[in-house]
Amino acid sequence: IKMSKFPWLESYPDFVSHSTEINYENIVEIYDQSIKNFGDKVAYKNMDVELTYNELDNHVNALIYYFQNNTNLKKGDKIVLQMPNLLQYPVAIFACLKAGLVIVNTNPLYTADEMLHQYKDSGAKAVIIVENFAHNLEKIVSETDIETVIITTIGDLLGGFKGGLINFVIRNIKKMVPAFSIPGSLHLKKILKDNSGKKGKNIEIKNTDTAFLQYTGGTTGLSKGAELTHRNICANVSQVEAWIGENVNHGEEVVITALPLYHIFALTANCLTFFRYGSKNILITNPRDMPKFCADLKKNPFTVITGVNTLFIGLMNQDVFNNLNFDKLKLALGGGMAVQDVVAEQWEKLTGTALLEAYGLSETSPAATINPWNGKHRIGSIGLPLPNTDVKILNDDLKEVKVGEPGEIAIKGPQVMKGYWNKPEETSKCMHGEYFLTGDVGTMDEEGFFKIVDRKKEMILISGFNVYPNDVEKAISENPKVLEVGVRGENNEDGSEFVRAFIVKKDPSLTEKELIEFCRTKLTNYKVPKSISFRKELPKSNVGKILRRLLE
C-alpha cells in the first residue's frame, strides 16, 4: 500500500491496524461464541425485563425447531420481521439467521401499500409481526407468497403478569391494536412455550449466503432491497472491532439501543457488534416518549449510546437527561444523518464524552468511515475510512477530484453489498467497478478526514452556485432559539431556485426577520433563505432523520 494513496492511514490511532481479517465465517459464529462466553450475563433488557444470553438461546432454539418441524421454510427463504425494539426481535433475528433464512427488515409503521411492495419484491414466505400492525397485513396477505404468519404482542416476553398487564393497557385502554383476522396465524408466545428446550438441526451457512434484504432508497421512488451477505456483515463487525480495539470491557458494557433494530445502524452496531462483546443492550421501544426514555436512561447507567442528530437534540432538551451522571459513558456514536457541530459541542460539554460521527449506508452494512476513538476526532467530520475500506471523491465524469474539492463519495470494501435484489440495472448504475457510488457529496482533507457536504439529489442551484442544505441547516442550528431545522430548494415562477427553511422553535419569540438577519451573519447572500416557515414538527423517517422531500 502506497501511503499517499490512502492518506487516512497516517491518521489512524496507534492501536488500529491498517488492514484486518474477517474474523467470522458467518453471523451464526458470532452468535454461538457469545452464547458460550457470556451465558449468564444479560443480553437484552426492555421495559425493565432482562433476558440473559442463555435464555435468549433457549428461545432461539425453540423458534428454529418450530421453523424446521412445523413450516415449509427452508434455507434461503425470505422472512419479514416487522416490530419495534422488543425482546423478541433479537430472538427472531438470530433464529432466522441460524435457520438459514434471509431476513427482510420492515418498518412496523409502514402503510399496507409500502408493506405490499417489500413483501412482493422480496418474495417473502413468512412474517413475524407485532399485533398492533397486523390489520395492515390482513389487507395485503392474499396478494403475497406468505404462508406462515406469526403474531407477537408487545408484552410477549415481559413475563406473565407484567406482559398481560401491558397487553391489556395497549389493547383496551390505549386502543392501539386495530381489529384484524388472519386465519391460520400463530402466536409467537405459544410457539416459544411449546418448543422450549428443543433444538433444531444445524444448517451449514456459507459466507456468500445472503443474511438480510435491507430495503433502502425510498427517496428515489420505490425502495430497493440491498442484498447483504453474511460476509458483508461479518466484515463490518470485524472492521468496527479493529477500530474499537481494547476500549471496551467484554461482558460489562451497557448499550442504549434507541434506534430501531430494523435500521442497519442499530442492527450491525448494537445488535451484532456489541452482542459480540457480551454487552447488555437496553432496548428502547418508543424513544419519542422522551420522559419515559430518560427514565430508562436514569435506571441504566450506560457506557455506550448510538443515535441520530435529532435524538441527541431531543435528549439534551430534557431536564432529567441534563441531570444524569455520565461518569460511565465512554462512547457516543452518531450516524444516519449529519451530526450538527453545535449538537456535538453541546453533547461533549454536557456529558464529558465526544459524540463521534460515523458514516455509512444500508448498502455498506453500514459503516464506511468513523471518527477515531483516541481524542483526535474532528467535529463536523465523518472520520476516516475503516480498515480495508477505500473511499474516493469523484466528479461527474467519475474521475478523482483534488484534495479538498467536493465530489461524489465512492466506497470499496468487503462490507459493500452484493447488489440490489433482482435489480441488475439499478445495481450497475450505482457501481463503478468495485466502488459503490453513494449519491452523497463529500470532501477529503490532506489527512484523510472526510466530510459530508450533502445528498447529490438535494443540492439547490442558485445563479449557477451549488447550495447544500446541510450548510444552511448547520448555520441556522447555531441560533439558540431554534430546536430543529430542515431546508430545501423551491422554484420561483421563472424556474430558478431559492432556499426555503422550515423551523421548529425552541423559543416562541423567534421571528422570520430575526432569523434571516442571523443567517446573513453566517452565510453568503445567495445561501440565505428567502422564505422561512415555522412548524410544530418536521416530517421524519422511522429513525428520526428529517425528510427534506416531505417539507411543506
Side-chain angles (χ1 to χ4, degrees):
I1 291 177
K2 290 209 305 288
M3 277 320 210
S4 58
K5 193 179 170 202
F6 303 108
W8 50 84
L9 295 178
E10 295 283 358
S11 300
Y12 269 21
D14 298 340
F15 60 83
V16 179
S17 66
H18 290 180
S19 74
T20 180
E21 296 297 311
I22 299 177
N23 302 330
Y24 317 96
E25 181 61 21
N26 52 44
I27 302 169
V28 172
E29 198 182 310
I30 297 177
Y31 173 83
D32 288 343
Q33 273 183 24
S34 292
I35 298 297
K36 195 171 112 215
N37 294 339
F38 307 110
D40 293 328
K41 293 217 170 267
V42 175
Y44 294 96
K45 182 176 180 182
N46 178 230
M47 303 188 202
D48 300 330
V49 176
E50 298 183 335
L51 196 64
T52 66
Y53 282 78
N54 284 337
E55 288 165 340
L56 172 75
D57 196 41
N58 183 39
H59 289 321
V60 165
N61 286 326
L63 189 51
I64 295 170
Y65 185 87
Y66 180 82
F67 287 152
Q68 291 178 347
N69 294 283
N70 299 79
T71 72
N72 297 323
L73 291 169
K74 58 188 190 307
K75 185 182 168 185
D77 282 346
K78 316 288 185 303
I79 179 166
V80 171
L81 301 184
Q82 199 164 0
M83 56 192 118
N85 286 356
L86 300 166
L87 292 174
Q88 50 271 41
Y89 206 159
V91 170
I93 286 173
F94 290 119
C96 293
L97 292 172
K98 285 194 83 165
L101 303 176
V102 177
I103 294 172
V104 180
N105 276 314
T106 301
N107 181 349
L109 299 177
Y110 269 178
T111 63
D113 285 350
E114 288 168 319
M115 285 163 65
L116 183 62
H117 167 65
Q118 279 191 19
Y119 283 46
K120 281 183 80 162
D121 187 72
S122 63
K125 298 272 173 63
V127 57
I128 303 179
I129 190 168
V130 89
E131 62 174 1
N132 306 46
F133 312 105
H135 64 288
N136 278 329
L137 178 60
E138 180 190 351
K139 294 175 195 163
I140 59 154
V141 71
S142 62
E143 297 176 59
T144 70
D145 297 331
I146 301 271
E147 294 168 13
T148 304
V149 175
I150 299 174
I151 307 271
T152 185
T153 71
I154 301 271
D156 263 357
L157 291 186
L158 298 175
F161 177 72
K162 179 165 189 166
L165 181 65
I166 283 179
N167 285 340
F168 178 81
V169 169
I170 283 171
R171 288 171 187 158
N172 302 300
I173 295 171
K174 294 191 174 174
K175 306 242 184 287
M176 286 166 71
V177 183
F180 66 91
S181 161
I182 302 176
S185 60
L186 307 139
H187 281 279
L188 181 67
K189 191 174 180 179
K190 186 170 176 0
I191 290 171
L192 296 181
K193 191 171 165 219
D194 292 352
N195 297 283
S196 180
K198 295 177 181 167
K199 212 169 162 101
K201 297 188 293 287
N202 286 342
I203 301 289
E204 191 206 343
I205 292 168
K206 299 192 189 72
N207 63 11
T208 50
D209 290 336
T210 301
F212 297 96
L213 282 189
Q214 203 65 21
Y215 276 79
T216 178
T219 45
T220 53
L222 289 172
S223 59
K224 312 176 278 284
E227 208 174 338
L228 302 177
T229 64
H230 280 263
R231 181 175 187 265
N232 291 149
I233 300 283
C234 289
N236 210 222
V237 170
S238 303
Q239 290 167 318
V240 173
E241 276 178 15
W243 201 251
I244 287 173
E246 300 300 312
N247 283 310
V248 298
N249 298 322
H250 293 232
E252 287 173 35
E253 304 300 339
V254 177
V255 185
I256 299 298
T257 303
L259 294 180
L261 293 177
Y262 54 80
H263 188 271
I264 189 68
F265 181 15
L267 181 68
T268 303
N270 300 49
C271 187
L272 299 174
T273 304
F274 280 99
F275 188 84
R276 141 86 184 79
Y277 289 116
S279 312
K280 180 201 284 191
N281 257 294
I282 313 292
L283 299 178
I284 307 294
T285 307
N286 179 16
R288 288 184 179 162
D289 182 348
M290 278 282 167
K292 195 167 178 318
F293 180 13
C294 288
D296 270 333
L297 294 177
K298 196 171 178 178
K299 278 184 258 185
N300 298 288
F302 53 98
T303 61
V304 177
I305 183 167
T306 61
V308 294
N309 191 66
T310 45
L311 182 94
F312 296 119
I313 294 175
L315 286 174
M316 290 190 292
N317 277 298
Q318 300 291 318
D319 289 342
V320 180
F321 186 79
N322 284 285
N323 292 316
L324 289 179
N325 179 341
F326 296 105
D327 288 354
K328 294 201 155 123
L329 180 62
K330 55 169 81 163
L331 174 64
L333 196 59
M337 64 188 288
V339 173
Q340 289 162 342
D341 297 5
V342 62
V343 175
E345 284 155 11
Q346 197 186 338
W347 178 272
E348 196 162 340
K349 203 166 124 191
L350 173 63
T351 66
T353 302
L355 173 48
L356 301 183
E357 192 174 348
Y359 167 72
L361 308 99
S362 297
E363 292 90 341
T364 58
S365 307
T369 68
I370 305 187
N371 262 285
W373 193 354
N374 60 349
K376 295 199 178 141
H377 64 283
R378 296 201 182 162
I379 286 183
S381 148
I382 52 170
L384 308 164
L386 284 165
N388 299 15
T389 306
D390 185 13
V391 180
K392 287 180 173 176
I393 304 283
L394 305 177
N395 64 17
D396 290 344
D397 300 326
L398 300 178
K399 299 277 184 289
E400 256 186 288
V401 302
K402 292 193 182 84
V403 169
E405 282 182 12
E408 184 169 5
I409 298 173
I411 300 167
K412 172 184 163 185
Q415 71 272 50
V416 173
M417 66 171 180
K418 189 171 171 178
Y420 291 119
W421 168 248
N422 273 346
K423 295 203 169 28
E425 302 85 10
E426 294 282 349
T427 305
S428 66
K429 257 189 248 168
C430 73
M431 295 303 294
H432 174 54
E434 291 179 74
Y435 288 84
F436 171 68
L437 302 170
T438 62
D440 285 321
V441 178
T443 60
M444 182 189 79
D445 68 16
E446 258 100 6
E447 288 163 313
F449 277 85
F450 284 79
K451 258 191 173 146
I452 289 279
V453 181
D454 228 309
R455 289 291 298 164
K456 215 171 164 180
K457 297 181 189 72
E458 292 178 340
M459 191 178 79
I460 308 163
L461 195 63
I462 295 179
S463 321
F465 293 105
N466 293 344
V467 176
Y468 295 103
N470 267 349
D471 283 351
V472 185
E473 287 169 358
K474 177 176 172 285
I476 293 174
S477 72
E478 288 169 14
N479 186 307
K481 293 185 180 180
V482 169
L483 181 64
E484 288 179 348
V485 51
V487 163
R488 67 181 181 82
E490 285 204 3
N491 287 336
N492 291 305
E493 282 178 8
D494 63 1
S496 63
E497 285 191 280
F498 67 92
V499 177
R500 184 170 173 201
F502 297 79
I503 308 289
V504 177
K505 296 180 188 183
K506 190 171 175 180
D507 179 335
S509 72
L510 181 65
T511 64
E512 179 174 10
K513 185 167 178 260
E514 180 186 354
L515 196 52
I516 286 176
E517 288 303 320
F518 177 82
C519 289
R520 289 209 169 105
T521 67
K522 301 266 178 190
L523 296 163
T524 333
N525 195 28
Y526 64 85
K527 293 183 184 177
V528 174
K530 293 283 173 283
S531 147
I532 286 178
S533 306
F534 295 109
R535 298 286 181 261
K536 289 227 167 11
E537 58 180 359
L538 301 181
K540 295 191 182 85
S541 73
N542 48 323
V543 294
K545 190 173 171 178
I546 290 167
L547 296 172
R548 292 180 184 142
R549 64 198 155 90
L550 298 182
L551 291 168
E552 58 179 44

